[in-house]
Amino acid sequence: MKTCLIAAVLLAAPLPALADKLDDLKDAGTVRIAIGNEPPFTAIGADGKVSGAAPDVARAVFAALGVADLEASILDYGAMIPSLQAGRVDAITAGLFMKPERCDAVAYSEPILCDAEALLLPAGNPKGFQSYEDFANDPEARLGAPGGGTEEKLALDAGVPRDRLIVVPDAQSGLKMVQDGRIDAYSLPVLSLNDLLAKSGDDKLEVFAPVVGAPVYCDGAAFNKRDTDLRDAFDVELAKLKESGEFARIIEPYGFSAQAAISTNRETLCAQE
């Protein structure tokens, strides 16, 4: 009887709390983030410094949380969520737009960066491409997009066949493939392509935006589903940045609208197909 009573007491007692993720990050002094090298969302300088709008916001938020340093891994978009789920990174701050299936896989913060889709193509748009359906309907057209990214999914959903949808590893490769005529257009968000084209100085190319029929998306910092306490703490400090005006001061020099992020929320974006 005594044994049963002891067992009952043990079962009723609260289990020890799991180690707090934020405390772990504070102890380490570093948060490991996944990024793409896709300015102005994310960038790596010649000195190796991580920059871009998404890491700069993350740096400010984590500094407020007591974590001073960012350690970045450049990953393909399709590899980011698996890396987060496997514990190889602590967060994704890469312009990874919220979609229902992604919201099921990760714990997003409230919105940070918003943008629309665009096409990099020859000046004058000689073939008249305006939508992903245009590529689906032209049996000769070849479209480039990042593997595992939003643009790839939108193009496939629009009917672009897999053999004419070319996975491009990075923005510079996409630029070169359009210049060489290996693809008819390369698709990324508006800001990314504007930045790419400006840096290239190539007046034989232009950016068409927005892609007709493609939705406007917003990203957030993405966390492992088991780290919702960390996500919630991130959201508290993110809200303070937005309220103080510091959020706008960080992202608007990169061309993003602070009001676009402030005017929507995670719940709305995660429900948007």
Side-chain angles (χ1 to χ4, degrees):
M1 184 69 174
K2 187 180 290 186
T3 302
C4 293
L5 179 60
I6 293 171
V9 171
L10 290 173
L11 287 171
L15 294 173
L18 295 175
D20 184 83
K21 181 70 172 183
L22 181 54
D23 286 343
D24 291 345
L25 296 180
K26 288 178 179 178
D27 289 343
T30 300
V31 57
R32 301 167 302 163
I33 60 171
I35 65 169
N37 193 4
E38 186 187 325
F41 288 89
T42 58
I44 301 292
D47 59 357
K49 180 178 172 59
V50 181
S51 64
D56 283 359
V57 171
R59 183 178 286 108
V61 171
F62 278 110
L65 291 171
V67 185
D69 295 324
L70 299 181
E71 177 185 304
S73 297
I74 300 174
L75 300 174
D76 290 338
Y77 283 93
M80 289 180 182
I81 290 178
S83 293
L84 180 66
Q85 292 171 329
R88 291 189 288 272
V89 296
D90 304 307
I92 302 169
T93 61
L96 190 71
F97 294 143
M98 294 187 207
K99 303 291 290 293
E101 64 273 17
R102 289 176 177 168
C103 293
D104 288 341
V106 303
Y108 270 110
S109 72
E110 289 295 335
I112 297 176
L113 306 176
C114 301
D115 202 2
E117 301 297 346
L119 300 169
L120 178 69
L121 34 65
N125 193 3
K127 295 187 178 181
F129 295 123
Q130 297 188 3
S131 67
Y132 295 121
E133 286 82 2
D134 289 340
F135 289 89
N137 295 331
D138 183 338
E140 303 298 323
R142 291 163 63 84
L143 174 66
T150 298
E151 298 78 17
E152 181 185 45
K153 184 179 187 303
L154 288 171
L156 289 170
D157 288 347
V160 180
R162 180 75 269 177
D163 65 335
R164 293 197 286 107
L165 182 57
I166 312 305
V167 172
V168 177
D170 55 65
Q172 287 299 324
S173 298
L175 172 72
K176 186 69 165 56
M177 291 171 76
V178 176
Q179 289 171 326
D180 293 346
R182 287 183 286 161
I183 55 177
D184 295 289
Y186 177 46
S187 187
L188 280 178
V190 178
L191 289 165
S192 298
L193 287 185
N194 283 342
D195 180 81
L196 182 66
L197 182 59
K199 289 177 178 175
S200 77
D202 190 340
D203 59 6
K204 295 180 180 179
L205 299 178
E206 71 179 36
V207 173
F208 176 85
V211 174
V212 174
V216 174
Y217 289 112
C218 300
D219 83 337
F223 299 89
N224 195 298
K225 280 282 193 180
R226 65 174 176 262
D227 294 334
T228 53
D229 286 350
L230 175 60
R231 187 276 310 276
D232 293 345
F234 187 98
D235 273 344
V236 168
E237 296 302 330
L238 177 61
K240 292 178 183 177
L241 282 185
K242 290 177 177 178
E243 179 68 23
S244 70
E246 182 63 17
F247 178 71
R249 287 190 286 273
I250 292 171
I251 71 167
E252 291 190 344
Y254 287 105
F256 292 97
S257 165
Q259 186 55 41
I262 292 169
S263 65
T264 188
N265 57 60
R266 174 176 56 239
E267 182 179 1
T268 299
L269 294 164
C270 282
Q272 176 178 274
E273 293 292 344

